[in-house]
Amino acid sequence: MSRMQSIRQVSGLIISLLLLALPVQAQSPEQKGLEIAKERKARDRGWGDSRAEASMILRTASGQQIERKMRMLSLEMQDDGDKGLTIFDQPADVKGTAFLNYSHAIEPDDQWMYLPALKRVKRISSRNKSGPFMGSEFAFEDLSSFEVEKYRYKYLRDDKINSLNSFVVEQTPAYEHSGYTKMIVWIDKEHYRAHKIEYYDRKGSLLKTLTMHDFELYLDKYWRPMKLSMVNNQNRKSTDLITHELQFRTGLDENDFNQSTLRRVR
Amino acid sequence: MKRTLVTLCLLASFTALADTQTYLKAAIEQRFYFQDALYPQQHNSDISVFVEPELYYSWNQGTGSINIKPFVRYDSRDSERTHWDLRELVWMQIGDEWEMRAGISKVFWGQTESQHLVDVINQTDFVEAIDGEDKLGQPMVQFSLIKDWGTLSAFALPYFRERTFAGADGRFRSPIAIDTDNPLYESDDEEKNLDWALRYFQYFGDVEIGLSYFDGTNREPDFIPQPGEDGMSLRPYYGQMQQTGLDMLAIAGGTLYKLEAIYRQTTDEDFYALTAGFEHTSVGVLNSPYDIGWLMEYQYDERGEQATSLGQNDVMLGSRIVFNDIDGTEVLIAYVQDLDETSSRSGFIEASSRISNNWKWRVDGWFFSSDTQDEPTYLLRRDDYIQFSLEYYF
């Protein structure tokens, strides 16, 4: 009897030990990738709203270079993707054209373009996520806000990027109509900032490489790269997205992100 | 002293929050007509220039603003096409959930591409282009409430603008001259009839719905033949109308479904008309950076051949090709077929691309064909043209 009891006790002990050990053993690369993504998002919560002045420098393979200027208003949403309003200032023929975006995690984004000459707001089919933004090497989906649910994750390895210890995570789009089969993202371990993203096309070959530069700290908490550099590895074109000025908590709210404001924004 | 300081601070903050923006669009356009003109006064080519500056001034962080946008065109052939207009001269005040405009302005309603049935606030500046997309400035007072349940706008339109028509030297005209100097009105107040309109618009994710009601002077004239010293002329007759409009857009996959339907009541007749169709866009066609959009729209008008609009039982097929290049090159090709009269059809091509930051080229071409005399297209059967434009933006 006592022997039976001791066996039970021992087996109970083994089971509890096993249970204790399980979480460590069972943190699969997928789980670790997801944890990193959650931490990345958590560290970026609470910025509220922002206004930015930015330029896109578009370069062709032959070195032809052209500048686009724009202003971007952004609003952080708690249970949904962020809202964004972009006003184009250059080239002159699109001056006054504005773009409104409600990003969502899994559902396609809601997007509208305002054409000032016609005073017309046109809905855009955002299934065209993989389409280029303003003729640049950035696709619409590259500029949409980062939401945890957007991807499936897989932690690959540790690496160093810009001499910082970092995680390398594979992200597979969980939403439909992406132009990518996967992305490889380098995230530094200290601040969970993405430093480099490789985009792989539908055939699985490297399509584009995005690198982030000149990080600055806002509100003592939020890191923002002042320069995003996207290089197309297949056609050798590139686009730099440069932020000249960035302000947070400027008092924007949802009333600043609707079709009426899109129509009158300057 | 203290007061001056406060005033200075206020002034400083006021000017800091004020903003002035200027825009300019100008172009030189050369048209060539493919066939010899129908009437002896007409020409086979035409050169024309226009300038459209715009000044925007806002204060108090943009809650108040004024926009001024005059337009002037000179046409080498048609004195009626040489004209100017105040496209905008409007004061706007905005609050958190409302906006108010007073002055001369432009409003667009609707969703479809091939014609704009619902869009009745502004008069068409018909001498500008045959597609009717150019509009004259409309005097108005507008008040809109922007709420969670939708946007509700009310318009009071105190002054009517007459449609512009080509003169004897111009193309796109009827054999009998239109006497634009002597219009007729149903309303005793003539052009000073107070028109009014209401519009409700709401967005439900993948569906957008607009409902509108207009009561006032019909923007589309009828024509009354009248004998005169120089022979017959047509006097435009602007009746009264009440129009209820519905416009809808729905997104399913990569396709936009569009609908516009109207019910118009005039003294002589009541009728329905609609435009319905879709636009489907494919991105990165054949592994290229090009986007190709396919458009198809059906146009119906209950009045049949008596319709004043071109589309009474017609189908428009179109394709929009966006090159996604640095120069923003785009091509739009469309073809409209009358389903009752197989000989009646028209088509157009629009292509444009940037030359530099400030310059752009554009090519527009139209062709018209009809063997049937009572078709509106028949009047244009010899007016096929191609136009080259050099545009300047600042």
Side-chain angles (χ1 to χ4, degrees):
Chain A
M1 196 64 195
S2 73
R3 201 175 155 176
M4 271 303 276
Q5 224 165 14
S6 62
I7 286 173
R8 270 193 197 154
Q9 272 171 353
V10 169
S11 53
L13 190 67
I14 289 168
I15 287 165
S16 19
L17 275 173
L18 271 174
L19 279 174
L20 271 174
L22 257 173
V24 180
Q25 277 189 338
Q27 198 185 31
S28 61
E30 285 76 12
Q31 279 170 328
K32 188 167 180 187
L34 181 63
E35 292 306 315
I36 294 165
K38 281 182 177 165
E39 183 61 25
R40 178 182 166 193
K41 185 69 189 175
R43 295 216 183 186
D44 202 48
R45 251 184 246 287
W47 52 269
D49 68 87
S50 70
R51 286 174 195 257
E53 277 180 38
S55 286
M56 275 196 321
I57 315 285
L58 282 59
R59 289 188 196 88
T60 61
S62 58
Q64 190 193 350
Q65 181 173 316
I66 202 156
E67 186 176 4
R68 306 264 183 268
K69 286 184 181 162
M70 65 192 94
R71 286 163 287 149
M72 294 162 149
L73 313 182
S74 310
L75 181 70
E76 184 183 20
M77 301 297 288
Q78 288 313 322
D79 302 311
D80 200 351
D82 300 337
K83 294 186 175 180
L85 183 60
T86 305
I87 307 141
F88 299 102
D89 292 323
Q90 198 187 299
D93 67 303
V94 296
K95 188 169 160 184
T97 304
F99 173 70
L100 176 66
N101 187 49
Y102 294 176
S103 51
H104 303 300
I106 295 295
E107 291 297 305
D109 294 359
D110 297 337
Q111 297 176 333
W112 297 266
M113 192 70 96
Y114 174 65
L115 307 168
L118 301 170
K119 295 262 177 234
R120 181 171 182 185
V121 170
K122 278 188 90 167
R123 185 76 182 253
I124 302 172
S125 164
S126 61
R127 188 180 137 177
N128 310 334
K129 279 173 185 288
S130 58
F133 179 76
M134 289 293 287
S136 75
E137 294 312 306
F138 287 91
F140 282 96
E141 62 184 308
D142 307 340
L143 297 166
S144 189
S145 70
F146 176 75
E147 308 300 330
V148 174
E149 305 79 18
K150 273 191 172 172
Y151 307 97
R152 287 183 293 275
Y153 302 88
K154 190 172 157 191
Y155 162 78
L156 297 180
R157 60 181 185 275
D158 279 1
D159 197 1
K160 280 214 167 196
I161 180 119
N162 305 330
S163 64
L164 298 169
N165 289 321
S166 67
F167 304 110
V168 183
V169 178
E170 182 182 294
Q171 293 180 190
T172 313
Y175 52 87
E176 284 186 292
H177 313 299
S178 173
Y180 314 121
T181 44
K182 67 173 181 186
M183 294 143 67
I184 310 286
V185 188
W186 278 257
I187 297 160
D188 76 68
K189 289 185 176 181
E190 192 184 355
H191 297 297
Y192 284 77
R193 301 169 299 191
H195 287 259
K196 179 178 165 185
I197 304 176
E198 289 177 348
Y199 298 88
Y200 290 81
D201 68 13
R202 288 170 186 149
K203 281 178 258 160
S205 1
L206 179 63
L207 176 63
K208 301 189 293 192
T209 305
L210 175 66
T211 49
M212 285 72 164
H213 309 268
D214 311 332
F215 276 96
E216 287 197 17
L217 186 61
Y218 290 87
L219 307 174
D220 287 330
K221 188 174 175 195
Y222 307 105
W223 289 96
R224 290 288 182 277
M226 293 297 102
K227 182 174 153 190
L228 299 176
S229 190
M230 183 73 94
V231 177
N232 188 311
N233 299 85
Q234 295 183 359
N235 64 19
R236 312 308 303 164
K237 288 191 211 170
S238 67
T239 302
D240 287 348
L241 179 56
I242 296 164
T243 305
H244 303 295
E245 214 185 302
L246 180 58
Q247 287 175 296
F248 281 89
R249 299 194 183 146
T250 61
L252 296 170
D253 60 33
E254 284 197 65
N255 290 326
D256 296 301
F257 296 85
N258 58 42
Q259 285 201 41
S260 299
T261 45
L262 178 63
R263 235 176 266 269
R264 69 186 185 218
V265 77
R266 291 286 185 151
Chain B
M1 181 63 200
K2 203 175 172 185
R3 187 175 293 171
T4 349
L5 206 68
V6 171
T7 320
L8 272 174
C9 285
L10 273 175
L11 261 175
S13 62
F14 188 78
T15 41
L17 297 171
D19 178 31
T20 307
Q21 290 184 40
T22 54
Y23 307 76
L24 177 72
K25 183 181 179 187
I28 180 160
E29 300 166 345
Q30 172 72 59
R31 268 185 198 176
F32 297 103
Y33 295 92
F34 295 140
Q35 299 105 327
D36 284 335
L38 278 167
Y39 315 109
Q41 304 97 318
Q42 293 178 325
H43 304 272
N44 289 338
S45 69
D46 179 15
I47 192 159
S48 185
V49 291
F50 77 82
V51 181
E52 189 180 62
E54 186 173 358
L55 175 72
Y56 170 83
Y57 178 76
S58 71
W59 56 88
N60 201 8
Q61 282 186 313
T63 55
S65 66
I66 287 174
N67 201 51
I68 306 166
K69 187 161 138 186
F71 170 87
V72 189
R73 174 181 290 281
Y74 168 76
D75 188 271
S76 65
R77 303 296 193 188
D78 184 1
S79 60
E80 290 291 321
R81 199 164 182 250
T82 297
H83 71 301
W84 74 279
D85 183 40
L86 257 182
R87 298 292 200 226
E88 282 182 62
L89 175 59
V90 65
W91 165 52
M92 180 166 71
Q93 232 17 82
I94 57 173
D96 257 0
E97 295 189 323
W98 57 270
E99 60 182 44
M100 193 276 298
R101 282 183 180 84
I104 297 166
S105 188
K106 181 181 169 184
V107 168
F108 180 87
W109 294 348
Q111 298 282 8
T112 59
E113 307 297 324
S114 60
Q115 59 176 2
H116 307 299
L117 294 169
V118 165
D119 184 38
V120 289
I121 294 288
N122 289 75
Q123 178 61 275
T124 300
D125 193 358
F126 197 51
V127 292
E128 273 303 296
I130 192 75
D131 62 14
E133 298 271 353
D134 292 273
K135 299 289 174 181
L136 295 169
Q138 170 66 49
M140 67 173 74
V141 177
Q142 177 203 339
F143 183 80
S144 296
L145 274 177
I146 304 144
K147 295 283 190 185
D148 294 341
W149 43 262
T151 301
L152 185 65
S153 307
F155 298 83
L157 312 162
Y159 190 83
F160 175 76
R161 303 292 312 276
E162 295 163 40
R163 186 166 289 198
T164 58
F165 289 101
D169 302 317
R171 292 282 192 139
F172 318 109
R173 69 173 178 91
S174 58
I176 308 170
I178 294 171
D179 186 2
T180 47
D181 295 333
N182 293 294
L184 295 162
Y185 293 93
E186 182 179 352
S187 167
D188 293 336
D189 296 326
E190 302 190 321
E191 71 271 31
K192 294 189 187 70
N193 185 69
L194 179 66
D195 300 348
W196 63 275
L198 284 174
R199 177 165 169 86
Y200 169 77
F201 179 85
Q202 179 62 315
Y203 140 79
F204 309 92
D206 289 345
V207 177
E208 294 179 8
I209 292 179
L211 284 169
S212 53
Y213 185 78
F214 173 92
D215 186 345
T217 309
N218 191 344
R219 270 56 180 152
E220 281 177 25
D222 288 328
F223 296 100
I224 301 190
Q226 184 153 302
E229 285 169 20
D230 313 320
M232 290 293 282
S233 67
L234 295 173
R235 288 179 75 178
Y237 171 78
Y238 296 99
Q240 290 291 298
M241 75 167 191
Q242 293 77 47
Q243 176 168 306
T244 308
L246 164 74
D247 56 271
M248 280 182 74
L249 176 133
I251 296 192
T255 309
L256 303 176
Y257 295 90
K258 303 169 184 189
L259 169 75
E260 285 188 26
I262 57 162
Y263 180 64
R264 186 181 291 181
Q265 293 164 288
T266 66
T267 311
D268 300 331
E269 59 184 352
D270 300 349
F271 66 92
Y272 291 97
L274 71 80
T275 312
F278 67 84
E279 177 168 0
H280 180 85
T281 306
S282 313
V283 180
V285 178
L286 298 170
N287 227 2
S288 72
Y290 299 172
D291 294 352
I292 298 190
W294 298 101
L295 294 106
M296 186 170 139
E297 285 183 7
Y298 172 68
Q299 308 168 338
Y300 174 77
D301 190 310
E302 195 189 359
R303 294 169 296 174
E305 296 303 314
Q306 274 72 53
T308 47
S309 58
L310 287 171
Q312 73 286 358
N313 183 23
D314 293 30
V315 166
M316 190 255 329
L317 294 170
S319 179
R320 182 183 284 125
I321 305 157
V322 177
F323 287 62
N324 283 317
D325 57 348
I326 277 184
D327 299 326
T329 311
E330 278 191 45
V331 180
L332 173 65
I333 300 168
Y335 175 79
V336 183
Q337 175 66 55
D338 189 314
L339 299 178
D340 298 321
E341 300 290 344
T342 48
S343 74
S344 288
R345 51 185 173 262
S346 59
F348 66 85
I349 180 165
E350 293 173 12
S352 65
S353 188
R354 240 171 253 127
I355 300 163
S356 71
N357 245 332
N358 300 100
W359 293 91
K360 202 170 176 173
W361 62 260
R362 183 182 301 275
V363 176
D364 297 273
W366 271 91
F367 83 88
F368 312 91
S369 164
S370 183
D371 300 336
T372 318
Q373 294 208 12
D374 49 7
E375 270 285 308
T377 318
Y378 187 75
L379 298 172
L380 310 171
R381 68 195 179 280
R382 301 276 282 277
D383 291 335
D384 298 358
Y385 75 88
I386 188 155
Q387 172 176 300
F388 301 95
S389 316
L390 186 60
E391 298 176 335
Y392 177 75
Y393 295 86
F394 189 77

